[in-house]
Amino acid sequence: MKLQRMNRRALALGALAVSGALALTACGSDETGNPDGGSSNAAAPSNIKCDDASGQVLADGSSAQKNAVDAWVKQFSAACKVEINYKAGGSGAGITAFTQGQVPWAGSDSALKPDEVEASKKICSGGQGIDLPMVGGPIAVGYNVPGVDKLVLDSATIAKIFDSKITKWNDPAIAKLNPDAKLPDLKIQAFHRSDESGTTDNFTKYLIATAKKDFPYEGGKAWQAKGGQSAPQSSGVAAQVKQTAGAIGYFELSYAKDGIKTVAIDTGADKPVEATVDNATKAIAEAKVVGTGKDLALELNYGTKAAGAYPMVLVTYEIVCDKGNKAETLPAVKAFLRYAASEDGQKILAENDYAPMPEEIITKVRTTVESLS
């Protein structure tokens, strides 16, 4: 009897140990995998090169790429002993922080202007700030019109909506593009960015390039058109569109979540083009490198009419010194940008509604990252 009791006790302890091991395995899976416990990206890629990277890196800039940076940081920090704190205060704030020496790296949806390059020389010892195109994607035009599940607009109509020239959803110009839609007699609530934004810069560049007569402004990071309402950052505009009947706004596709519908663009191609990662990549592939030296600033073709090419795109640049980076942050910044530009880093973009850079462009970025000093 005593032996039987000992055997039963041993079996019970063994079962408890197995149960505990399984529980620990499950917990480990959730911590390193997706928030929902899925298996995708269950562990940081084993080929991330940390080198001598350590410590903490503060960065600021484009809110357009925030979701992409968050995905990169999750993987990178799991492999390297580096804490990346990306503020995402907007492209304008990021460039200012960079040129004032407050951050060693910034994100911007617009390339550096000549005066910004000149300012960067004061903090890049013996060098200057350069643009590294790392993240692409469509600028989605999201809308909230009850009863309208599909909506087509062209650049002229979008320009008039955001310049307060079209104010009702059943306007004849919108109805002509959407003959099968039941458009309500509802006031349009157009939302734009309140902060200086590269998203605004690229959105207005598209309108100026394709509908200059209907959008007679110079463009830039600050909103210039008449009327409308404003909200800070892409997340703020998306939130307003989601909660406001009759609303329309512009933001990156990654923010078009939780039921926000997006506009298909009539570009003059055979059929309207949806805002998708693949369609954005087709448009970005037509871009030309116009930067000099190690600068890789791009010129986008906003007026493309190629089949399936979504023209309202942006490219987010990681801005860093080509030479003269601070010794205490260079290893971490270089290692992080190396990972972001790697095959694994670019693959994560598509999984988060961003467009990877075309191979010809990202190859140049990888070479430039390795030369940072």
Side-chain angles (χ1 to χ4, degrees), residues 42-129:
S46 59
N47 58 351
I48 291 180
K49 292 176 62 178
C50 301
D51 293 339
D52 297 324
S54 61
Q56 184 181 45
V57 173
L58 177 65
D60 198 359
S62 165
S63 65
Q65 70 167 357
K66 183 181 186 304
N67 294 334
V69 173
D70 286 349
W72 284 337
V73 168
K74 181 179 179 181
Q75 299 295 315
F76 181 75
S77 295
C80 305
K81 296 179 180 179
V82 178
E83 181 183 347
I84 305 289
N85 185 351
Y86 184 71
K87 187 177 178 182
S91 297
I95 290 176
T96 297
F98 176 74
T99 55
Q100 291 182 352
Q102 298 170 4
V103 298
W105 147 62
S108 175
D109 307 320
S110 301
L112 290 168
K113 295 179 180 178
D115 61 322
E116 293 167 340
V117 173
E118 196 62 32
S120 73
K121 293 179 181 180
K122 297 178 182 179
I123 56 103
C124 300
S125 180
Q128 66 179 49

Side-chain angles (χ1 to χ4, degrees), residues 8 12 46 104 108 188 269 301 310 334:
R8 284 197 300 269
S46 59
S108 175
I188 294 175
N301 181 12
Y310 185 84
K334 192 170 181 178

Side-chain angles (χ1 to χ4, degrees), residues 264-327:
I265 306 297
D266 183 347
T267 64
D270 292 341
K271 59 182 180 179
V273 186
E274 300 282 350
T276 70
V277 168
D278 289 342
N279 291 347
T281 299
K282 290 177 184 177
I284 295 172
E286 297 185 26
K288 297 178 181 179
V289 176
V290 294
T292 58
K294 293 182 180 180
D295 186 85
L296 298 176
L298 301 177
E299 181 178 83
L300 298 168
N301 181 12
Y302 295 103
T304 181
K305 294 183 180 180
Y310 185 84
M312 201 184 302
V313 296
L314 61 73
V315 169
T316 301
Y317 300 95
E318 311 313 331
I319 294 172
V320 67
C321 297
D322 58 353
K323 293 188 294 184
N325 288 280
K326 294 180 180 178

Side-chain angles (χ1 to χ4, degrees), residues 161-216:
I161 287 173
F162 280 90
D163 197 27
S164 302
K165 295 170 184 172
I166 292 178
T167 59
K168 289 291 188 72
W169 278 109
N170 61 350
D171 187 276
I174 301 175
K176 184 178 179 180
L177 291 164
N178 300 273
D180 298 325
K182 294 182 179 180
L183 299 167
D185 182 14
L186 179 66
K187 183 181 178 181
I188 294 175
Q189 307 278 358
F191 285 90
H192 57 263
R193 289 281 290 271
S194 60
D195 52 326
E196 287 201 354
S197 161
T199 309
T200 294
D201 191 15
N202 284 273
F203 178 65
T204 55
K205 278 180 179 176
Y206 164 73
L207 296 178
I208 292 168
T210 58
K212 178 65 175 176
K213 183 179 72 172
D214 299 302
F215 201 79

